[in-house]
Amino acid sequence: MRYIIIGAGAIGGVVGGRLAGSGHEVVLVARGAHFEALRDRGLRLRVPEGELLHRLPVVDGPAALGELRPDDVLVLAVKTQDSAAALQTWAAVPVAGGGTAAERLPLFCAQNGVESQRLALRLFRRTYGVCVWLPSTYVEPGVVSAAGRPLTGILHLGRHPHGTDETARLVAADLEKSHFEAPVVADVARWQYAKLLANLGNALEAVTGPVDSEEGAALFRRVRAEGAAVLGAAGIAYAGAEEQQAVRGDKVAQAPLDGAPRGGGSSWQSLIRGTGTIEADYLNGEIALLGRLHGVPTPLNELLQHLAGTFARERRAAGSMPVGELVRLADEAVRAAS
């Protein structure tokens, strides 16, 4: 199989680089300065064993590939706010032998949140969810870092909305030869909703910096508890902490990387790169949406969604709001919702 990584950033670049490193055929899809760096200098993948250079085919869209191959696997790894455009771009691409990508090829959504696979299923007959547990960083064009060891990450795979098949098992086998653990599960959404609860802190980290104080940790616990209450009201199951720990253990411990200090998660990285957009609408905003549908107030997640969006649009510095100020705003939001 050939893997076409649509969005070669922190997740896509690491997955693509690791697959290439184990001998699999990989095409990277990127844009702007990142595309130019990958094209001209190759993919620099910083991992605990050192910096690896992969000179891989890189394109800025499907036109450069012509007809796709029947054995191609599409891996969607853009931020969710970019999913709709990417899906429209790739759905109608012809596949050798007849038909289109949307009709014939498998699409794996390797992203935070749960919205992209719903968007994909409108177009792609064969849509798969991926729960991504992968500490990785992309802040410099052409360079991605992954600090996990002994494994780079754990990627739960399954059909969307549910089930498994031979394609999922084949992809999992390739990933497991490439420094990942890749359980194939019939209920991948349970793992994705558990990850969603963890990702509710991404906006907090983006706005105030690393959550390394008791004040910040206490606020995150409140934000997560609000999210858990919403999932409970909606009847949405998710993997519990003990189940997650039993699977992950110490398999993805973060190691210091020379020249690649880890400053923050995916939302923090968006602010550092000054992209002007952020994924909070599909993380904290997912909780706000479910809260409105099921009559549960979500003032904390709404606040974080609003602040993260404002920081991105106004290109404010990542981590520039004192955590005490955010706690004050959070308390005000809760009182106003009471």
Side-chain angles (χ1 to χ4, degrees), residues 29-281:
V29 183
R31 58 188 180 183
H34 192 42
F35 163 75
E36 294 171 359
L38 293 170
R39 179 196 61 197
D40 297 342
R41 300 187 293 277
L43 172 69
R44 293 163 58 194
L45 174 60
R46 291 172 175 164
V47 288
E49 61 263 38
E51 182 171 292
L52 310 176
L53 179 63
H54 296 288
R55 295 196 174 277
L56 304 173
V58 57
V59 299
D60 59 2
L65 295 176
E67 279 191 327
L68 299 180
R69 299 181 347 199
D71 65 346
D72 281 340
V73 174
L74 305 181
V75 179
L76 185 67
V78 300
K79 293 290 176 55
T80 303
Q81 62 267 27
D82 298 319
S83 288
L87 290 165
Q88 289 288 344
T89 296
W90 287 86
V93 178
V95 177
T100 65
E103 293 167 335
R104 296 188 57 194
L105 300 183
L107 176 84
F108 286 77
C109 297
Q111 300 158 287
N112 288 332
V114 296
E115 181 64 20
S116 281
Q117 57 209 20
R118 295 195 291 234
L119 295 171
L121 201 60
R122 295 175 186 273
L123 301 173
F124 283 81
R125 291 176 180 170
R126 301 169 62 195
T127 296
Y128 299 76
V130 183
C131 178
V132 179
W133 191 261
L134 170 55
S136 55
T137 305
Y138 158 52
V139 294
E140 177 186 349
V143 183
V144 295
S145 304
R149 67 177 181 190
L151 294 176
T152 297
I154 299 176
L155 308 174
H156 284 75
L157 312 177
R159 287 292 296 259
H160 179 73
H162 50 74
T164 64
D165 63 12
E166 184 62 16
T167 298
R169 288 185 282 273
L170 289 171
V171 170
D174 286 351
L175 290 169
E176 293 198 337
K177 297 172 186 173
S178 309
H179 297 267
F180 294 100
E181 188 170 289
V184 178
V185 294
D187 57 352
V188 68
R190 288 182 64 251
W191 293 90
Q192 291 175 305
Y193 277 105
K195 178 74 184 317
L196 173 66
L197 291 178
N199 286 145
L200 297 180
N202 287 21
L204 193 161
E205 180 185 59
V207 170
T208 68
V211 184
D212 54 11
S213 68
E214 178 51 37
E215 194 174 21
L219 178 57
F220 172 63
R221 289 193 291 270
R222 293 167 63 192
V223 171
R224 188 189 183 285
E226 186 179 89
V230 167
L231 295 187
I236 295 174
Y238 57 91
E242 290 185 2
E243 184 179 5
Q244 294 179 67
Q245 180 58 31
V247 170
R248 292 174 182 143
D250 296 322
K251 298 173 185 174
V252 192
Q254 293 193 48
L257 299 179
D258 292 340
R262 178 172 169 78
S266 55
S267 297
W268 179 89
Q269 294 170 41
S270 291
L271 294 184
I272 289 293
R273 296 201 310 275
T275 62
T277 66
I278 201 164
E279 62 191 337
D281 286 347

